[in-house]
Amino acid sequence: ALEGLHRNDLENSFNAICEHLESRKAKILEAISDTERKQLSQLEPWIKELEEMKDAVSSDVREMEALRNQKDPVLFVKGLAAIQARKREQVPSKDGVELAELLSTMDGSIKKTIQELFQPYVQFILDTKPSVESSPSK
């Protein structure tokens, strides 16, 4: 009967730990999602700007292809001059290095969140050692 009581206590302890871990898991996954949303919101304006630039360049290419068939040299030169006169911004300065830094920051903040949420368990695991008195003696 005493062994059954220990077994029940152990099962209850493990169930409590599992529930706690599930709760922590949900918090960590939510924190990761929040971080991803924040990082994505920082990248969205840049992506939108690049898409607008791509659309503008595509429009220029279509106009130049149409000019290719222009037989009148005066109209050709005027059309080409109009395309060249447009001010096109340079591609934004965000490069691969800057993007890598952004992703690295994201990765670091996720690791920090996980460490903070799991810290109580690290101590619990380190403090838990099998006791000699609870092991069956032969």
Side-chain angles (χ1 to χ4, degrees), residues 67-100:
L67 273 179
R68 184 175 53 191
N69 300 325
Q70 181 55 261
K71 304 288 186 228
D72 184 342
V74 174
L75 291 177
F76 175 83
V77 170
K78 282 184 180 179
L80 185 59
I83 293 170
Q84 290 176 332
R86 292 186 193 128
K87 300 255 187 220
R88 294 286 185 222
E89 291 182 29
Q90 292 288 328
V91 174
S93 65
K94 274 199 188 305
D95 57 14
V97 173
E98 205 171 323
L99 187 58

Side-chain angles (χ1 to χ4, degrees), residues 24-39:
R24 291 289 176 162
K25 174 184 169 186
K27 287 179 183 178
I28 287 172
L29 292 176
E30 184 59 33
I32 290 170
S33 294
D34 286 346
T35 302
E36 288 173 343
R37 280 190 291 272
K38 287 175 189 170
Q39 298 297 328

Side-chain angles (χ1 to χ4, degrees), residues 11-126:
E11 282 188 33
N12 290 337
S13 294
F14 273 109
N15 288 337
I17 290 171
C18 288
E19 287 174 17
H20 225 56
L21 284 173
E22 281 298 320
S23 170
R24 291 289 176 162
K25 174 184 169 186
K27 287 179 183 178
I28 287 172
L29 292 176
E30 184 59 33
I32 290 170
S33 294
D34 286 346
T35 302
E36 288 173 343
R37 280 190 291 272
K38 287 175 189 170
Q39 298 297 328
L40 185 58
S41 72
Q42 289 178 353
L43 290 175
E44 281 175 344
W46 183 56
I47 292 169
K48 184 177 182 207
E49 185 178 353
L50 288 175
E51 287 174 347
E52 289 170 359
M53 290 174 67
K54 179 189 75 108
D55 291 344
V57 169
S58 294
S59 174
D60 289 350
V61 168
R62 284 190 301 276
E63 286 183 48
M64 291 177 92
E65 286 173 346
L67 273 179
R68 184 175 53 191
N69 300 325
Q70 181 55 261
K71 304 288 186 228
D72 184 342
V74 174
L75 291 177
F76 175 83
V77 170
K78 282 184 180 179
L80 185 59
I83 293 170
Q84 290 176 332
R86 292 186 193 128
K87 300 255 187 220
R88 294 286 185 222
E89 291 182 29
Q90 292 288 328
V91 174
S93 65
K94 274 199 188 305
D95 57 14
V97 173
E98 205 171 323
L99 187 58
E101 287 172 3
L102 186 64
L103 294 173
S104 174
T105 302
M106 178 179 158
D107 187 44
S109 63
I110 290 172
K111 285 178 185 174
K112 183 179 177 201
T113 301
I114 291 171
Q115 287 172 341
E116 287 172 359
L117 290 172
F118 271 102
Q119 190 56 43
Y121 295 102
V122 171
Q123 197 56 48
F124 174 79
I125 291 167
L126 293 176

